[in-house]
Amino acid sequence: MGWPMTSKGWAVPGSKAGEAVPAPEGERAVPDAAGIAAVGAGVSLPGSAPLTGGGGKAPPRAAHGASGGGGAGLTGAGVTREAPRLARYRAAFAGAALALALSLLLALCAGHVWNTPDEVFRAVLGEGRDTANLISLWRLPRAITAAVVGALLGLSGAVFQGIFRNPLAEPWLVGSSGGAAVGAVLALLLPWPVPQDLALPALSFAGALGAAFLVLALARLSGSLDTATLLLAGIAVGAVLTALRSFLMMTLSSETVSLQVVMSWLMGAIQAPDGARMRIMLALSAAVFLLSFAVSRPLDLLGLGEGMAAAWGLNVRRTVILGLILGSASAALAVSAGGMVAFVGLAAPHVARHFVGTRHRRVIPFSALAGAVLVTVADALGRSLMPPGEIPLGLITALAGGPFFLALLAGRNRRLS
Amino acid sequence: MSGLSLEGVRVEKAGRLILDVPSLCLGSAGLTALVGPNGAGKSTLLKVLGGAERGASGRVSLDGRDLLRMPGRERAARTGFVPQHFTPHWNQRVFELLELAEERCGAAPGLFAEAAAEFGLDGLLDRDWEGLSGGERARVLLAMALGGRPPLVLADEPGAAMDAAYSLRTLETFRRRSAETLFLVAIHDLNLAVRFFPRIVVLKDGRVAFDGGPEELAEGGSLDRVFGVRFWKVDCGEGFVLFPVSVL
């Protein structure tokens, strides 16, 4: 009968209460993290390797000591108030923020003509007029735009994966990138009464949202919101949209609008906007980012399964719709500022879950940070590796992201088996 | 009116009546087992009460409040739901799951840490779901459901994946808490049901076929009728066991 619960009640027979501690998480995480840092070095600049190591290379206990900023929403409930766990996440966030700072520095240095960080700093201080102009008028807006595009893609990917509860979901797969592309092609190829600066994001958003809701409606038509149905509907809609886009490009292109512009945009190209547009883009992105905190807890609950989520008081339908709107808005903003950039939306959330667990209030911001680093570095490399030409951003992210993702996948399968 | 009571609760799916409970009062505390053959509506009833199954008509009141039309979060704070199948999508760590459970019901600080200790999860907090054994998973689920000390606990086959020791321990835990909590537990093992539960509700084809104590259930022949099986009642030690002998 009565078994003293606290002392030995639930402990596995034959083990003492204190012994149940599993192999320290950190120790298993270290080789993985180092592996990621190693693969990541392929995408990031040579000098950044020690930084990524801030979360990876350092022994886990030492990493706990690292104080970190940027750990948004880390205060948890009672179970998790344990300092080491929080410190680990803070260290991961600090590492990611540092990686972003370094990749922005790389972006300011990179170009047809490379500048040293020293020159960049002096230019920022106003010395060297030509270099200062080059950096502040050309490279800085572009680097910021690239970072924002990456953050939006990372956010969008995290939100879509959260809604679809599928690690394969991403803006591209669920149709919203395809929808945004159709909208954008229309904006680029047709004469509009409003300036193109306005038409592009508006039509992209309309396209992305339209596609996402079409996916939702198709899934509902078949009577279920489960993952497989949603993904199948997304793939079907995506295929139709790709065909539609190609058709539009064939029929609408003329002498006056070069298909090459559209093509290069389709392969991903950061368009650094001027002052006013930049401010609009930043404001919209900030709004999307803040809104993402509102869906993070609902997405956590959704991750427990629909039945459990409902039992725990979640309005599943409303969460799915809100998430679709948010993910689409994010994807559309990214598409209108950076064209079609592959893989970032898919890979960034995986990186995030690897470092900060599965709670969306950490996954979404970390995924945004990871996406920002990826796109900033990829864009910097794209415009500096083959002067005077530019390698399309989308090609680089796909080239670097593909193997990176495969490595993640292989690592995960090894762990599971 | 205190406690849990159901009035005219019906669930229809594709034109078929899955659950039809005209009236059932379950009181405000104690252990009630829910038994019945496969497809009798046990899981449906628990899901309706737990909010995982919408679309039930009728009225369910918990301490005078309408449980079916209560805002989701309020209902979630009053009920601890242990589903039969739980497959989270993200391979969450144990502490993340407990953290979510804690946030859900706005429990007093420390309550879930207490539950984690009570269910022997202290050493498992950083493990992820996929790496847990069936028994460990069941303990995590129980801690998630019971941690906030909800007045109503709905458990669907909580011991199904557990070995004998764990399933006994689970029922012991329920029994210890049954003075202040109402447990409604779907259970397949009739012998555990008659041994631990002073009240047994038998469902068949969505209807209550029997409602009473274990002795009564074993004596009246209603058990044989419901399951279509002849049972032997074998007296032993502290009570009796039921042994299925032949299909009727």
Side-chain angles (χ1 to χ4, degrees), chain A residues 309-310 313-320:
Chain A
L314 181 75
N315 186 331
V316 172
R317 180 153 292 185
R318 200 172 61 194
T319 302
V320 169

Side-chain angles (χ1 to χ4, degrees), chain A residues 5-414:
Chain A
M5 302 283 280
T6 39
S7 61
K8 60 178 184 181
W10 285 95
V12 184
S15 80
K16 293 189 198 86
E19 276 176 10
V21 183
E25 178 57 36
E27 263 169 47
R28 207 185 43 177
V30 169
D32 288 350
I36 285 213
V39 181
V43 213
S44 57
L45 63 160
S48 78
L51 283 177
T52 340
K57 254 193 216 163
R61 298 298 155 193
H64 297 157
S67 67
L74 286 178
T75 45
V79 192
T80 59
R81 282 211 191 95
E82 247 169 274
R85 203 144 38 216
L86 288 188
R88 195 163 63 213
Y89 293 148
R90 287 212 186 95
F93 269 98
L98 208 55
L100 179 59
L102 268 197
S103 53
L104 282 171
L105 181 61
L106 171 81
L108 293 183
C109 296
H112 299 172
V113 179
W114 282 76
N115 292 104
T116 63
D118 189 43
E119 284 169 327
V120 169
F121 287 128
R122 270 188 293 157
V124 170
L125 294 175
E127 295 172 36
R129 183 166 293 271
D130 286 350
T131 318
N133 276 344
L134 174 74
I135 287 172
S136 64
L137 293 182
W138 165 236
R139 286 184 191 166
L140 183 63
R142 175 138 178 185
I144 290 176
T145 310
V148 170
V149 165
L152 289 166
L153 287 172
L155 187 152
S156 176
V159 170
F160 276 129
Q161 291 188 5
I163 301 170
F164 288 79
R165 282 153 285 154
N166 191 304
L168 287 179
E170 60 140 355
W172 188 258
L173 200 58
V174 300
S176 74
S177 281
V182 169
V185 166
L186 284 174
L188 289 172
L189 292 182
L190 284 182
W192 294 90
V194 292
Q196 204 178 66
D197 299 354
L198 206 64
L200 188 62
L203 284 175
S204 299
F205 179 57
L209 202 60
F213 272 97
L214 194 59
V215 168
L216 190 67
L218 280 176
R220 272 207 197 142
L221 210 62
S222 68
S224 140
L225 277 183
D226 69 32
T227 316
T229 320
L230 279 172
L231 274 180
L232 280 177
I235 291 168
V237 168
V240 170
L241 288 172
T242 306
L244 182 62
R245 192 192 68 210
S246 305
F247 178 74
L248 286 174
M249 283 167 60
M250 258 177 57
T251 50
L252 292 183
S253 64
S254 64
E255 299 297 318
T256 47
V257 262
S258 159
L259 257 190
Q260 204 173 348
V261 175
V262 181
M263 278 307 289
S264 83
W265 177 84
L266 279 180
M267 285 192 282
I270 299 290
Q271 323 269 332
D274 55 36
R277 284 170 59 204
M278 174 75 106
R279 278 193 288 279
I280 293 177
M281 184 191 72
L282 288 178
L284 287 175
S285 305
V288 164
F289 186 75
L290 287 178
L291 276 177
S292 75
F293 281 100
V295 297
S296 58
R297 217 187 82 88
L299 287 183
D300 286 338
L301 291 180
L302 206 55
L304 301 176
E306 274 182 37
M308 195 69 165
W312 281 20
L314 181 75
N315 186 331
V316 172
R317 180 153 292 185
R318 200 172 61 194
T319 302
V320 169
I321 290 175
L322 250 176
L324 280 181
I325 292 176
L326 187 68
S328 303
S330 190
L333 273 171
V335 163
S336 63
M340 311 296 272
V341 180
F343 255 115
V344 177
L346 181 60
H350 287 266
V351 179
R353 276 192 293 272
H354 185 90
F355 283 110
V356 295
T358 62
R359 298 295 308 270
H360 283 87
R361 65 170 183 236
R362 291 185 280 260
V363 168
I364 293 176
F366 198 95
S367 177
L369 272 174
V373 172
L374 278 174
V375 173
T376 309
V377 171
D379 182 56
L381 294 181
R383 60 188 157 80
S384 62
L385 285 187
M386 276 184 14
E390 257 192 38
I391 308 174
L393 171 61
L395 291 190
I396 296 190
T397 55
L399 274 177
F404 173 79
F405 185 68
L406 283 178
L408 265 186
L409 211 60
R412 195 180 71 154
N413 287 344
R414 240 196 339 270

Side-chain angles (χ1 to χ4, degrees), chain A residues 10 22 80 303 310 358-359, chain B residues 75 89 96 99 103 118 123 169:
Chain A
W10 285 95
T80 59
T358 62
R359 298 295 308 270
Chain B
R75 191 203 52 235
H89 295 277
E96 291 177 320
E99 197 179 67
E103 289 168 11
E118 182 178 359
R169 283 170 175 176

